[in-house]
Amino acid sequence: MKSRRTDLKKFLKTTTLLLMCSIFLAACGNLQDSTLSSGGGDSSKSTVQTTSSSDSSSYDVLLSNGKYKTSPISGLTAADNSNQFNSRSFESGLMKLSKKQFSTNSYVFQEGQVLSASTVNKWLARKSKKNPTGLNPASNGSTAPTKRTPMYLQQLLEEDYLQKQDGKYKLAGISIGVAMNKIDYYQKKQYGATYKTTITEAEQKEQGQRIAKEIVQRLRKEDKVGNIPIVVGLYSVAPEDTLVGGNYFQYSFSKSGELGSFKDLEYKSQMLPVVNGDTAISSSDSDAFSNFKTHIQDYFPNLSGVTAQAHYDGTDLKSLDVTINTQFDGLAQITSFTQFVQQSATKYLPSGADLDINIQTVDEQQAVVTRTNGKFYSHVYDAD
Amino acid sequence: MKSRRTDLKKFLKTTTLLLMCSIFLAACGNLQDSTLSSGGGDSSKSTVQTTSSSDSSSYDVLLSNGKYKTSPISGLTAADNSNQFNSRSFESGLMKLSKKQFSTNSYVFQEGQVLSASTVNKWLARKSKKNPTGLNPASNGSTAPTKRTPMYLQQLLEEDYLQKQDGKYKLAGISIGVAMNKIDYYQKKQYGATYKTTITEAEQKEQGQRIAKEIVQRLRKEDKVGNIPIVVGLYSVAPEDTLVGGNYFQYSFSKSGELGSFKDLEYKSQMLPVVNGDTAISSSDSDAFSNFKTHIQDYFPNLSGVTAQAHYDGTDLKSLDVTINTQFDGLAQITSFTQFVQQSATKYLPSGADLDINIQTVDEQQAVVTRTNGKFYSHVYDAD
């Protein structure tokens, strides 16, 4: 691997256009105030442009050589897990943790460029003579669900945070997401039946902390990292049969050397209406959602499903992602229904939570209603 | 069929909740100012509630007995046409024409309740001894594409406009959409090959006007219609292989008796980039779109398609519905791309047109960017 600083120098000398575009984690913002402004002050005479969002709580994004750069380790996993809800919360949760250390005002974001795919593939595998850097423990020979050594580490995510120094963007912070299995799915033979080993919360924490510390030690040896601050988040991967994604359960910070102590996080997600005999995290939120659901089904009987993912921090409902499946798709009816959903949400759903309500038929998205920081927005697709 | 007035009286006596919700044809509006207010003043003591949108250019919608009522003739067609883009513009276009006669301030909207499915099924069929009310002409016996008598009339749409009189909602205006084929698709024998007869613009107009006049005469004989104003729009159905929907090409108005003269409409739709060797309706709009497309493809190379439906009134570009297919779906990249699309749209796309930009992967909707009356909004799905 080439040195990151060399890369950055070269890129700043040769590029004629450096664009940053704003990333807004809040998922939903009115960006009418966006401006395209000249960055200036760059001794290398390259044209530097930045776009700044009106939303100061979100990062600007670096486009290297005028291109968005993806992380080479994106999507690499240790084992299969078909739960589609994990990947987005794994990404967005790490960015949320990063904001505690890397201010959106002074850092710009880029997908991780330090860790390579070949390195991470070795790290995700079991430790063995042939693979000494493996972060999952060596097999103990057993294939019995309760006796074997499971694969604890499922996935890694790197996010880079850069700062402008002397007119050039330099890596100034790294965040690492460590996705830990709650259930490890495995086959005893190739293409065979799938078995599972359940991992306790205590094991998740212990193994996660061991892996996080090891990763930070390894990163510190990389030239391009050196002594810059590193954030590590431990993420619990949601099992395949849950209808919500996982959550970060601990995080830690290293200013320059080793990782400090791990702090607990209280993020939880739950499907509404509550399924499988689960207990509601908040019965008042669960009741509120039931009332909302009943109300819209009374007025528009042809709905085939109204469900939600509720996201909590402790017992505070932070956001509600609602999916409504309709059996109708006529323009007048969809438009009228969209308006009705907004009214009903205002009346019945907890007022403090952000809302993301998707109205769809089996075939396609029909409309969306959102509430962000108390402000509603609605949109019907293809209405003109 | 029961009398509409009787229906309305009964409903006003028995209902305890009458809700209207606002329909906004503009497809996209910020409804944060919606209010739920008591209508009052109703001698029958039923609780009347209305919701009024902040957007005065859109209709409130009547919910009869607390339910949204669909039109019984919705979706009935004379022949097959697989072009999915027709149905929404057939609906929204008629509402746009209706606004010329029925002010959004004094009328509320309801899907058509006068025409029944059995009536319209007869009207859509060919005229014959067994079907004297058929509005498509009798067959001349030929099955040759250029010699046979085509099916001119493809579909009918009814929209009702009600006014409050003495505390009760009464039918006070009707709009009828008449969808006329440009190409009539037919089979010579059941499950056989599909043939087509092309219909000229002159024939479309002549036949459409004949059918419209006949429908108005028939409606005038209905008790619940009597002498209320009727709007009729003639719509040209887009052929199956075009990637845009059809448009209304003429309309007429009857205050109480017969229809008046027909007025020409200049609505046109075109796919961008222009396909099949077509000439661009506006070469400057076509160039602007190409520049937009090139710009975003330069910065985000992994796009698998960037297309648009351009909607014109004469030579004025009214709106642009853009679809962008991406090969990536990571949260950071989608969010960054969404922001970049908005910037590029501001810079390259014609400033007067409303925009509806959908960003999607093969599997699902990822984000949306809209501009309505100059105001941008963007939303990334499932970002929290």
Side-chain angles (χ1 to χ4, degrees), chain B residues 3 28 49 72 96 103 109 127 130 151 174 176 239 261 316:
Chain B
S3 147
C28 168
Q49 285 189 300
K96 205 190 285 179
S103 156
F109 169 89
K127 187 170 188 159
K130 284 177 73 176
M151 299 284 275
I174 289 191
I176 300 290
S261 62
D316 282 358

Side-chain angles (χ1 to χ4, degrees), chain B residues 186-357:
Chain B
Y186 69 103
Q187 282 84 35
K188 293 186 183 180
K189 54 183 179 185
Q190 215 179 356
Y191 311 121
T194 295
Y195 297 84
K196 44 191 181 182
T197 300
T198 303
I199 297 164
T200 65
E201 279 185 32
E203 282 176 298
Q204 266 192 328
K205 281 190 190 176
E206 186 194 326
Q207 294 289 332
Q209 293 184 6
R210 171 186 69 80
I211 290 165
K213 285 174 190 161
E214 181 65 34
I215 290 172
V216 169
Q217 283 172 9
R218 293 179 186 180
L219 280 174
R220 292 271 171 242
K221 291 174 191 153
E222 293 275 337
D223 279 352
K224 54 191 87 162
V225 178
N227 280 321
I228 64 172
I230 302 175
V231 168
V232 180
L234 303 182
Y235 178 90
S236 176
V237 179
E240 291 189 349
D241 54 356
T242 58
L243 295 163
V244 290
N247 281 298
Y248 281 88
F249 61 93
Q250 279 196 326
Y251 78 104
S252 181
F253 178 63
S254 155
K255 200 173 174 208
S256 58
E258 304 253 308
L259 270 181
S261 62
F262 282 81
K263 295 190 182 67
D264 286 333
L265 297 165
E266 302 296 333
Y267 299 126
K268 276 171 256 165
S269 298
Q270 186 170 50
M271 189 74 186
L272 294 177
V274 167
V275 285
N276 303 331
D278 280 4
T279 308
I281 292 173
S282 155
S283 61
S284 76
D285 293 341
S286 170
D287 289 350
F289 182 74
S290 293
N291 291 338
F292 167 78
K293 182 178 157 121
T294 303
H295 187 67
I296 63 171
Q297 284 175 332
D298 274 355
Y299 285 87
F300 288 80
N302 296 320
L303 303 180
S304 41
V306 183
T307 57
Q309 292 188 17
H311 301 291
Y312 288 89
D313 187 357
T315 55
D316 282 358
L317 180 66
K318 305 305 275 183
S319 64
L320 209 51
D321 296 343
V322 181
T323 302
I324 302 176
N325 286 289
T326 72
Q327 290 167 25
F328 50 85
D329 65 358
L331 177 65
Q333 193 167 6
I334 287 287
T335 309
S336 169
F337 180 63
T338 302
Q339 169 71 2
F340 188 72
V341 163
Q342 179 172 327
Q343 292 161 18
S344 308
T346 308
K347 194 171 174 187
Y348 291 100
L349 297 180
S351 59
D354 282 352
L355 300 176
D356 191 338
I357 305 177

Side-chain angles (χ1 to χ4, degrees), chain B residues 28-226:
Chain B
C28 168
N30 193 323
L31 295 161
Q32 76 216 72
D33 299 330
S34 299
T35 53
L36 193 73
S37 63
S38 179
D42 185 348
S43 58
S44 69
K45 287 189 184 165
S46 65
T47 306
V48 178
Q49 285 189 300
T50 62
T51 66
S52 46
S53 157
S54 60
D55 182 0
S56 64
S57 68
S58 52
Y59 290 106
D60 286 347
V61 175
L62 186 70
L63 298 189
S64 301
N65 285 316
K67 301 262 190 279
Y68 183 90
K69 246 179 144 173
T70 56
S71 173
I73 69 167
S74 168
L76 302 178
T77 55
D80 292 337
N81 181 313
S82 64
N83 184 333
Q84 52 165 320
F85 299 111
N86 283 309
S87 71
R88 288 224 155 168
S89 63
F90 187 40
E91 268 197 77
S92 66
L94 187 61
M95 203 178 282
K96 205 190 285 179
L97 292 176
S98 303
K99 289 181 184 173
K100 293 175 194 276
Q101 298 299 336
F102 310 125
S103 156
T104 54
N105 292 325
S106 49
Y107 291 83
V108 302
F109 169 89
Q110 188 171 41
E111 285 195 30
Q113 303 296 329
V114 173
L115 294 173
S116 70
S118 62
T119 300
V120 166
N121 271 328
K122 286 176 200 153
W123 291 10
L124 289 174
R126 286 189 186 281
K127 187 170 188 159
S128 64
K129 274 184 191 164
K130 284 177 73 176
N131 185 41
T133 60
L135 290 171
N136 272 307
S139 168
N140 62 4
S142 167
T143 57
T146 55
K147 290 181 184 157
R148 70 190 271 274
T149 309
M151 299 284 275
Y152 294 106
L153 173 62
Q154 165 73 356
Q155 197 172 349
L156 290 174
L157 173 66
E158 177 197 344
E159 290 179 351
D160 293 351
Y161 294 92
L162 293 82
Q163 281 190 317
K164 209 174 187 176
Q165 292 165 7
D166 306 325
K168 294 164 193 172
Y169 282 97
K170 287 186 179 169
L171 188 65
I174 289 191
S175 294
I176 300 290
V178 180
M180 301 297 294
N181 283 322
K182 200 164 170 176
I183 293 178
D184 172 32
Y185 300 92
Y186 69 103
Q187 282 84 35
K188 293 186 183 180
K189 54 183 179 185
Q190 215 179 356
Y191 311 121
T194 295
Y195 297 84
K196 44 191 181 182
T197 300
T198 303
I199 297 164
T200 65
E201 279 185 32
E203 282 176 298
Q204 266 192 328
K205 281 190 190 176
E206 186 194 326
Q207 294 289 332
Q209 293 184 6
R210 171 186 69 80
I211 290 165
K213 285 174 190 161
E214 181 65 34
I215 290 172
V216 169
Q217 283 172 9
R218 293 179 186 180
L219 280 174
R220 292 271 171 242
K221 291 174 191 153
E222 293 275 337
D223 279 352
K224 54 191 87 162
V225 178

